[in-house]
């Protein structure tokens, strides 16, 4: 059992803005104390969530904030990516203006990555930036979206096109909230956790596979340390490159493992696949390319497939490489936003824990996969 919360530090360019991620059961009840500590002069807190998460977990958070004498202004969106729009973001900003928010007041994001990204952008833009605290409630948001300071909303032309870097003052992770998260959402988060392991730590890959049954039983004693390890691996990476300025081979670009082909499949499925499911297929692609490029031993591909199967994630990549679907994936790859002229920085693996970045063109990527 995890008795004490894990503490992970994330470094950002200006030292006074570095922040901690705290992982531990019962964190929801401590949100008030932590927000008060991070924002000693705050009077008001905007509690931004989606309707589903607010109904499930808003009560304890609200009470914890009010217990510290903070006036809570709740604001919710309908669940899902459809709500991550500039219109909703501006609506939230208008609510802050109407309720007399000041620059010492704070935003708390309680929810999945959609809520975290939108609330973070609200905090980044209101009065040129107010403080915010992330309380991520989906596994994907706990291990990925809430750490690293990227905040954004979508435009009709593409996802996350209107965004900023705005680092939270703290990230509070309670593994107990995952008790209400549906299995498919849990698996989606596991895809990102596996990505962290494949990039940086074989021990993490093994621990995920070993713990998977307890994870699906929502055992906080197993979930807590696994989440903390994933966060630590991502935090170490983003701390080396807080603003995504490092070139190929280092820094945040590595976190793109599985995402080049993954994003293309996600788009080609018209977002019928969840992000984590598409990333799972993207990880299969990365393993196959690593082997066929002669970078990795052939076992890498079967190791990755085995891990994904154990984590209840899809591995059936081939149907996305041929016919109509294949053409859609190809078109989506060509529009990859990380494309520099006609090459893509493609993240591959020499083995588990040893990422490599390659400069590749779309025809070469598809040629190696097919
Ligand atoms: N900023 C970043 O660095 C970063 C990184 C990865 C992903 N993201 C963004 O995150 C978003 C995806 O995040 P997501 O998968 O969390 O999506 P999401 O926020 O839509 O949450 C998924 C679903 O789970 C529900 N949910 C969340 N917590 C719950 C709980 N504890 N119990 C029951 N239901 C719960 C939500 O209501 C929603 O229906 C995307 O918009 C993506 O662009 C951002
Ligand atoms: Zn991702």
């Amino acid at each position: 059992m995890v008795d004490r919360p894990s503490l992970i530090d994330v470094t950002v360019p200006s030292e006074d803005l570095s922040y901690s991620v705290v992982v531990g059961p019962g964190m929801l009840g401590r949100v008030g104390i932590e927000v008060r500590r991070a924002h000693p002069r705050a009077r008001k807190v905007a509690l931004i969530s989606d309707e589903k998460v607010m109904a499930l977990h808003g009560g304890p958070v609200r009470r914890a904030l009010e217990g510290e004498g903070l006036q809570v202004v709740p604001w919710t969106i309908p669940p899902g990516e459809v709500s991550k729009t500039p219109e909703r973001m501006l609506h939230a900003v208008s609510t802050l203006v109407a309720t007399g928010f000041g620059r010492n007041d704070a935003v708390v994001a309680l929810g999945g990555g959609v809520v975290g990204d939108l609330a973070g952008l609200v905090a980044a833009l209101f009065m040129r930036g107010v403080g915010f605290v992330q309380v991520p409630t989906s596994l994907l948001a706990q291990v990925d979206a809430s750490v690293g300071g990227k905040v954004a909303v979508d435009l009709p032309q593409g996802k996350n096109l209107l965004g900023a870097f705005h680092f939270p003052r703290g990230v509070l992770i309670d593994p107990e909230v995952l008790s209400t998260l549906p299995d498919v959402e849990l698996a989606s988060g596991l895809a990102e956790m596996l990505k962290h392991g494949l990039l940086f730590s074989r021990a993490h890959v093994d621990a995920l596979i070993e713990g998977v049954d307890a994870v699906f039983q929502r055992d906080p004693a197993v979930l807590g340390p696994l989440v903390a390890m994933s966060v630590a691996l991502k935090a170490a990476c983003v701390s080396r490159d807080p603003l995504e300025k490092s070139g190929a081979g280092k820094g945040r670009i590595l976190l793109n493992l599985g995402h080049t082909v993954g994003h293309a499949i996600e788009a080609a499925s018209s977002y019928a696949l969840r992000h984590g499911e598409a990333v799972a297929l993207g990880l299969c692609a990365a393993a196959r390319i690593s082997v066929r490029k002669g970078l990795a031993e052939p076992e890498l591909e079967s190791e990755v497939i085995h891990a994904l199967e154990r984590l209840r994630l899809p591995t059936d990549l081939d149907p996305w490489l041929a016919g109509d679907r294949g053409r859609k994936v190809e078109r989506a790859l060509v529009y990859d936003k990380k494309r520099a002229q006609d090459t893509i920085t493609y993240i591959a693996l020499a083995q588990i824990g040893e990422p490599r970045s390659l400069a590749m063109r779309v025809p070469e990527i598809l040629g190696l996969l097919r």
Side-chain angles (χ1 to χ4, degrees):
M1 187 67 198
V2 238
D3 298 321
R4 275 176 297 124
S6 311
L7 241 181
I8 300 127
D9 292 317
V10 189
T11 318
V12 304
S14 134
E15 203 171 299
D16 55 328
L17 291 182
S18 295
Y19 57 95
S20 297
V21 183
V22 192
V23 186
M27 279 315 294
L28 281 201
R30 291 185 52 85
V31 170
I33 294 167
E34 299 292 339
V35 169
R36 177 50 81 205
R37 195 199 325 251
H39 300 273
R41 288 154 70 197
R43 287 177 302 117
K44 298 188 168 84
V45 167
L47 178 58
I48 300 186
S49 190
D50 72 31
E51 288 153 5
K52 196 161 122 193
V53 174
M54 189 69 109
L56 287 166
H57 301 291
V61 175
R62 191 174 178 155
R63 283 191 292 281
L65 291 165
E66 286 171 348
E68 289 297 313
L70 292 157
Q71 184 195 332
V72 177
V73 180
W75 191 83
T76 56
I77 51 171
E81 191 75 28
V82 284
S83 290
K84 221 176 93 175
T85 63
E87 293 76 18
R88 298 257 178 212
M89 194 259 302
L90 288 176
H91 187 215
V93 169
S94 314
T95 305
L96 298 196
V97 175
T99 47
F101 248 65
R103 58 182 80 250
N104 293 324
D105 294 328
V107 171
V108 171
L110 174 73
V114 165
V115 165
D117 278 11
L118 182 139
L121 192 61
V122 169
L125 297 179
F126 180 69
M127 295 183 131
R128 296 195 190 84
V130 295
F132 90 117
V133 170
Q134 293 264 25
V135 187
T137 62
S138 70
L139 185 58
L140 187 129
Q142 293 189 342
V143 299
D144 192 2
S146 66
V147 179
K150 282 189 184 179
V151 296
V153 293
D154 302 333
L155 295 181
Q157 295 86 345
K159 279 186 65 172
N160 299 324
L161 285 182
L162 190 65
F165 279 100
H166 189 57
F167 300 103
R169 300 271 170 88
V171 183
L172 310 175
I173 299 181
D174 189 339
E176 285 172 347
V177 298
L178 301 174
S179 62
T180 56
L181 190 74
D183 279 359
V184 278
E185 299 293 349
L186 201 72
S188 205
L190 285 172
E192 301 287 359
M193 296 174 85
L194 179 66
K195 178 190 81 175
H196 294 148
L198 293 174
L199 282 169
F200 307 121
S201 162
R202 179 179 280 280
H204 190 47
V205 175
D206 295 343
L208 284 168
I209 293 172
E210 197 181 315
V212 69
D213 292 331
V215 163
F216 278 96
Q217 285 157 13
R218 314 297 194 281
D219 181 349
V222 173
L223 275 163
L226 287 175
V227 167
M229 179 49 71
S230 243
V231 169
L233 294 171
K234 174 163 181 182
C237 180
V238 300
S239 294
R240 287 193 293 272
D241 179 24
L243 298 176
E244 200 163 15
K245 294 232 163 100
S246 294
K250 291 179 278 179
R252 288 180 89 131
I253 187 96
L254 296 176
L255 297 168
N256 233 20
L257 179 72
H259 281 62
T260 303
V261 172
H263 275 148
I265 292 178
E266 192 179 3
S269 80
S270 304
Y271 297 92
L273 284 187
R274 277 194 170 62
H275 178 69
E277 294 166 338
V279 167
L281 297 174
L283 292 173
C284 294
R288 190 181 290 180
I289 284 177
S290 305
V291 171
R292 294 194 178 165
K293 264 286 211 189
L295 209 63
E297 298 295 330
E299 297 76 58
L300 180 75
E301 195 174 350
S302 48
E303 277 185 305
V304 169
I305 289 173
H306 169 74
L308 289 166
E309 283 171 351
R310 293 284 294 129
L311 301 181
R312 309 188 193 178
L313 284 158
T315 57
D316 201 5
L317 175 63
D318 293 324
W320 293 96
L321 301 172
D324 229 24
R325 282 187 186 175
R327 276 186 290 279
K328 281 192 189 155
V329 170
E330 180 165 3
R331 264 200 302 277
L333 268 178
V334 171
Y335 282 102
D336 188 292
K337 68 177 172 188
K338 298 205 166 57
R339 203 166 45 119
Q341 287 163 10
D342 64 345
T343 63
I344 288 177
T345 303
Y346 190 88
I347 307 303
L349 295 169
Q351 56 175 310
I352 294 177
E354 274 190 39
R356 295 278 184 275
S357 82
L358 310 171
M360 290 178 83
R361 295 174 55 242
V362 172
E364 189 190 358
I365 292 173
L366 289 170
L368 284 168
L369 285 175
R370 283 174 173 151

